[in-house]
Amino acid sequence: MSAVIEVDGLVKDFGSTRALDGLDLTVEQGQVHGFLGPNGSGKSTTIRVLLGLIKASGGSARLFGQDPWKNAVTLHRRLAYVPGDVNLWPNLTGGETIDMLGSLRGGLDPKRRQDLIDRFELDLTKKASTYSKGNRQKVALIAALATDAELFIFDEPTSGLDPLKEAVFQECVKEITGEGHTILLSSHILGQVEHLADTLTIINSGKTVESGSIEDLRRLSHETSDPNQPASLEQLFLQVYEPK
Amino acid sequence: MSRPTASPASGSPFTGTGDALRFALKRDRLLLPLCVLGLIGWVGLYVASYSGLYGTQADLNSLYQSVTGNPALVAMVGPTDGLRSLGGATAWETLPVVSVISAIFAMFVVVRHTRAEEEDGRSELLLAAGSGRLATLTATVVITAGALLLAAVGWYVVFLATGYEADSSLLLVAAILGVGLVFTGTTAICVQVTAKARTARGLVGIVIGLAYFLRALGDTGPDALAWLSPLGWAEKTKPFYDDQWWPLILPVGTTILTVAFALWLLERRDIGSGLIQPRPGPARAHPSLLHPLGFSLRVQRGSIIGWTYLLFVYGFAIGAVGNNIEGILESSTSLTAAFASASDNIVDSYFASIFTVLALMASGFAIGGVLRPHSEETHDRAALLMAGPLGKVRWALGHVLIAYVASAMMMALLGLGLGLGLGVVTGDFGELGTLVASGFAQAPAIWLTASLAVLLFGISSRASGAAWGLLVAFVVVWSIASFGDLPDWIVDLSPFSHIPAVPAVPLDATPLWIMTALSAVFTTAGMLLWRRRDLL
């Protein structure tokens, strides 16, 4: 297996603020990798470095073995991205936006597009200015999931979605994982990560705290807490962050 | 808010106005004082340059001789009846331009604190926290009126300190203040009508343009038309030669009525939407949207169409009036021989100055256009595009080139409008080609101004806004240089000083090529810097 994402000792400074302080993250091909951390811990900053939107101040970040800052355009042909806070062009309808975003990657598979629209129940004829947060999120999700990207980067993709649509998102991810796609999933919904991810990286204050397969991390937590009960992700998460 | 000023249980729609006032003042604690000081300093510069220029009665007489009865100047500035005194000359030159700038200032302040806040979803927070529906608008009107009043007091002090007659000075600043207040109320209405701050500003811009146009028509034709314009009312006070106080009733009454109407509308509409609701659109994208350049064009389309339409119609109207000017000049016997022999040139000079004014205006469009990537960046939409296989430079440069091409096109169409307006009335379309070329010749100055905005955008997202300050500086340089006295080196700093006064003089293309080359250099530098900097 080759690593799709390789982040090693990544540092990012914004003026005098250090947002990332030696962060490590490795995602192998075909994995669904959960990316957890409290608010402001640097998840979105890491993702923005990986997308080549901002430049690393130190350390290295590699996507498919290449520098995401220098080779942004070629790398972006191979990935799809959904941010946690989708802002759209107020005058365009949802349908127009999905088609426009899809066209950047050479167009969407019409069948898949229609299938996703049906499942997410999005009204395509509404102007983006009239969409709720959840509906804006659906637009970006459909535009991403209807592509045939090798890597999907989801940054809290279901924020604002109702529980039914969140379940639809989980189904969709399950469907594409079988096909060799790699997924980086940053989320605060631990049940979602537990359900989808094989491996996990937990970060805090711009540094990696834990990393490994969910099973390994559970065993680790096993040894330190009640040996008879398998730790849930929530227990694991709280264990990492709770003040000792 | 944590400390409601009115009784919390009162539930009045004005509850929380005091807090909204403090909040807005705190937010603009730097910007607003700077703008007011700028307005005062600008008028100060004017006044200082006049005392030097028209220090003696002989200077004033020669000014009077050279401009009296020139309908082109009457249309552009106003009636020349009061020009025999220094006060009259000062009022003639300052009142129209300071009034328009006050109106634009009122527009920016009101939109910034009302519709822009609502569009970004911030006003909901205040409303949900117990603030009354009308609190923000009321506070905004108070702040805008207060800022205008402070500026007026500053101008009054400037006039008194320079030795102008007190009563007439007071009337002059009151007349200008009146225009600012009328447009405070007008903007308060416009922000109720449209759901977007940008559209609201466009709407107010149209009203200001209309007011200017009606005043110009009224001053050169049927007087009644000038009485329909707030700019006409200000002029009818005739400060320094026939002090008339009673026309001030009109702006005072209009301000009260417009603000009351705006509050009435606000109490009846939904928060977050305008009076015009967005309609459903197509479920599939038009093929033109599926290309990055087509998409960028779509994003800019509304403002391109609006500006082009405005400039063309304005050009047509000016062209038609231009013929009228020619007629008056030919039939007039009171004009000096020198003046009459140059009559052809006077229409052309008039057109040349119209081109400069509108090129400055069109630079507003061009800056807005080249800074689209900046607004996409701050609204967090750029990341969605930049995460796709679309190069940063390719995308931003697309927006920049669209703005460059569109601004050149609209200036050429302005020339076409002028030529057609002139031709329809005279039956002679011979000037058409020259006028189109003259409009097009303004483009390099617009490009150069906009390319400086591109450079600022490349430096950082925060620096981008400074481009507007640059445009204001060019407007100030032009307005002072065209009437008063400025050191050459300052005048030379503005690109608009280097466009030949076509069609009044033969076209010398050298400065145009130099400015075009400089635009290319700044644009390239801006794009290189943009490629190297982080997305916001």
Side-chain angles (χ1 to χ4, degrees):
Chain A
M1 282 210 289
S2 62
V4 172
I5 296 175
E6 273 179 293
V7 173
D8 192 14
L10 187 64
V11 175
K12 178 65 190 177
D13 295 319
F14 293 110
S16 58
T17 320
R18 178 149 289 193
L20 299 179
D21 189 13
L23 186 131
D24 303 316
L25 169 70
T26 307
V27 182
E28 307 286 343
Q29 202 216 312
Q31 277 181 351
V32 179
H33 192 93
F35 193 33
L36 304 182
N39 295 329
S41 58
K43 300 186 298 295
S44 295
T45 306
T46 309
I47 287 172
R48 287 169 86 81
V49 172
L50 286 173
L51 289 170
L53 300 177
I54 57 177
K55 196 178 181 184
S57 313
S60 85
R62 302 250 137 205
L63 217 57
F64 299 107
Q66 296 180 54
D67 181 345
W69 176 258
K70 283 189 185 140
N71 304 307
V73 174
T74 42
L75 287 172
H76 290 173
R77 283 187 225 288
R78 305 168 69 176
L79 66 84
Y81 162 64
V82 177
D85 200 356
V86 176
N87 287 295
L88 301 172
W89 295 266
N91 284 341
L92 295 189
T93 63
E96 287 177 313
T97 310
I98 290 171
D99 288 345
M100 184 276 294
L101 290 173
S103 73
L104 293 175
R105 289 185 184 79
L108 303 172
D109 174 4
K111 257 182 72 185
R112 194 157 166 70
R113 175 188 185 271
Q114 193 52 52
D115 175 52
L116 287 162
I117 287 159
D118 294 341
R119 287 161 77 182
F120 278 106
E121 296 184 277
L122 179 70
D123 181 352
L124 296 178
T125 63
K126 277 194 169 173
K127 296 269 168 71
S129 59
T130 64
Y131 276 142
S132 66
K133 160 108 181 73
N135 279 327
R136 293 202 300 271
Q137 215 62 35
K138 287 182 200 170
V139 169
L141 278 170
I142 293 168
L145 288 166
T147 64
D148 194 34
E150 291 171 58
L151 168 67
F152 290 87
I153 296 180
F154 295 122
D155 188 0
E156 295 178 43
T158 59
S159 61
L161 283 196
D162 64 61
L164 290 175
K165 299 304 177 301
E166 198 207 315
V168 171
F169 168 74
Q170 296 195 11
E171 267 170 44
C172 291
V173 172
K174 280 275 179 202
E175 285 163 22
I176 53 173
T177 48
E179 303 162 17
H181 301 281
T182 308
I183 292 163
L184 179 67
L185 173 63
S186 159
S187 177
H188 287 303
I189 305 171
L190 298 177
Q192 185 184 78
V193 177
E194 198 158 26
H195 181 65
L196 294 173
D198 325 308
T199 51
L200 201 61
T201 292
I202 303 181
I203 67 165
N204 194 12
S205 309
K207 282 192 189 105
T208 305
V209 183
E210 299 283 357
S211 192
S213 76
I214 291 202
E215 291 314 308
D216 288 346
L217 289 176
R218 275 189 178 144
R219 216 174 304 124
L220 197 83
S221 125
H222 239 198
E223 288 160 11
T224 53
S225 61
D226 182 2
N228 298 319
Q229 244 180 328
S232 74
L233 203 53
E234 191 172 342
Q235 285 168 322
L236 191 66
F237 189 82
L238 292 175
Q239 192 182 316
V240 169
Y241 296 114
E242 246 167 24
K244 301 269 160 20
Chain B
M1 310 231 69
S2 54
R3 291 177 301 118
T5 40
S7 140
S10 71
S12 143
F14 292 101
T15 308
T17 301
D19 286 308
L21 205 66
R22 272 190 293 277
F23 179 62
L25 282 177
K26 191 170 177 184
R27 185 172 165 223
D28 277 358
R29 62 190 177 279
L30 213 65
L31 192 66
L32 217 50
L34 276 178
C35 287
V36 171
L37 280 177
L39 284 171
I40 297 171
W42 173 47
V43 171
L45 273 176
Y46 257 127
V47 173
S49 76
Y50 296 149
S51 344
L53 261 186
Y54 311 127
T56 66
Q57 191 59 41
D59 293 333
L60 281 168
N61 288 344
S62 88
L63 171 75
Y64 183 76
Q65 289 292 317
S66 67
V67 302
T68 296
N70 178 348
L73 283 169
V74 173
M76 259 183 71
V77 186
T80 54
D81 310 336
L83 284 183
R84 276 184 218 274
S85 71
L86 179 60
T90 307
W92 180 68
E93 291 176 5
T94 50
L95 186 130
V97 59
V98 182
S99 296
V100 169
I101 297 291
S102 300
I104 292 172
F105 170 73
M107 168 187 88
F108 272 108
V109 178
V110 174
V111 173
R112 173 178 163 84
H113 287 285
T114 55
R115 182 49 80 177
E117 285 290 285
E118 198 174 326
E119 191 183 351
D120 291 344
R122 283 191 291 267
S123 57
E124 284 177 30
L125 293 174
L126 292 179
L127 286 168
S131 176
R133 275 171 99 53
L134 306 180
T136 303
L137 183 62
T138 312
T140 303
V141 168
V142 170
I143 284 174
T144 316
L148 287 165
L149 186 67
L150 274 179
V153 170
W155 297 329
Y156 184 54
V157 170
V158 165
F159 281 121
L160 288 188
T162 327
Y164 285 85
E165 207 262 311
D167 273 4
S168 298
S169 300
L170 189 61
L171 179 60
L172 173 61
V173 300
I176 297 171
L177 176 63
V179 176
L181 291 178
V182 167
F183 281 97
T184 305
T186 308
T187 312
I189 293 175
C190 290
V191 294
Q192 312 307 323
V193 176
T194 69
K196 288 198 294 173
R198 190 185 284 272
T199 331
R201 280 191 290 264
L203 210 56
V204 181
I206 291 173
V207 179
I208 296 176
L210 201 66
Y212 183 81
F213 190 59
L214 282 173
R215 202 271 312 141
L217 280 183
D219 284 348
T220 48
D223 192 45
L225 291 176
W227 285 103
L228 293 176
S229 160
L231 294 168
W233 303 337
E235 182 186 276
K236 297 295 181 191
T237 58
K238 307 183 177 174
F240 289 103
Y241 65 100
D242 187 19
D243 290 359
Q244 296 288 331
W245 288 83
W246 67 266
L248 290 180
I249 298 167
L250 292 166
V252 171
T254 309
T255 305
I256 293 169
L257 285 178
T258 46
V259 170
F261 185 51
L263 291 169
W264 186 84
L265 286 173
L266 175 56
E267 245 194 323
R268 274 151 193 83
R269 71 170 176 86
D270 293 341
I271 297 301
S273 56
L275 295 174
I276 307 157
Q277 296 290 338
R279 278 181 311 224
R284 299 301 308 236
H286 189 265
S288 65
L289 270 181
L290 303 181
H291 186 275
L293 205 60
F295 173 66
S296 297
L297 189 61
R298 169 68 181 268
V299 168
Q300 291 201 40
R301 187 178 71 180
S303 90
I304 293 175
I305 293 175
W307 278 88
T308 307
Y309 181 76
L310 204 71
L311 289 179
F312 181 77
V313 170
Y314 196 69
F316 188 86
I318 295 278
V321 174
N323 168 65
N324 189 23
I325 287 163
E326 200 162 25
I328 294 168
L329 282 178
E330 276 164 4
S331 65
S332 173
T333 51
S334 67
L335 295 171
T336 62
F339 203 44
S341 72
S343 68
D344 273 354
N345 258 332
I346 278 163
V347 178
D348 283 345
S349 302
Y350 173 50
F351 286 165
S353 45
I354 288 291
F355 276 126
T356 310
V357 178
L358 295 184
L360 281 162
M361 272 176 64
S363 300
F365 156 81
I367 291 177
V370 301
L371 288 185
R372 273 304 168 132
H374 165 67
S375 92
E376 298 281 89
E377 190 186 9
T378 50
H379 285 93
D380 224 4
R381 292 190 287 255
L384 218 49
L385 295 173
M386 296 298 90
L390 174 60
K392 277 168 91 174
V393 170
R394 188 180 162 209
W395 169 67
L397 194 60
H399 271 295
V400 170
L401 293 180
I402 288 171
Y404 287 175
V405 171
S407 49
M409 174 204 72
M410 58 183 72
M411 287 312 291
L413 281 174
L414 164 69
L416 184 71
L418 270 174
L420 288 178
L422 191 67
V424 164
V425 179
T426 60
D428 174 15
F429 291 91
E431 276 236 67
L432 206 60
T434 318
L435 287 171
V436 171
S438 303
F440 187 69
Q442 314 295 318
I446 300 174
W447 293 336
L448 186 51
T449 310
S451 72
L452 290 168
V454 176
L455 186 63
L456 288 165
F457 165 71
I459 291 168
S460 84
S461 189
R462 291 188 78 172
S464 308
W468 295 105
L470 216 56
L471 178 59
V472 170
F474 294 159
V475 171
V476 168
V477 166
W478 165 80
S479 68
I480 296 179
S482 50
F483 296 123
D485 199 10
L486 266 186
D488 281 348
W489 67 269
I490 294 184
V491 177
D492 285 345
L493 284 179
S494 166
F496 298 90
S497 313
H498 300 282
I499 301 281
V502 283
V505 300
L507 182 62
D508 172 15
T510 316
L512 305 186
W513 285 116
I514 293 172
M515 282 194 270
T516 305
L518 277 176
S519 312
V521 170
F522 290 141
T523 305
T524 311
M527 284 295 125
L528 288 175
L529 288 166
W530 153 243
R531 197 171 69 180
R532 264 154 230 214
R533 80 164 166 86
D534 285 354
L535 202 69
L536 198 68

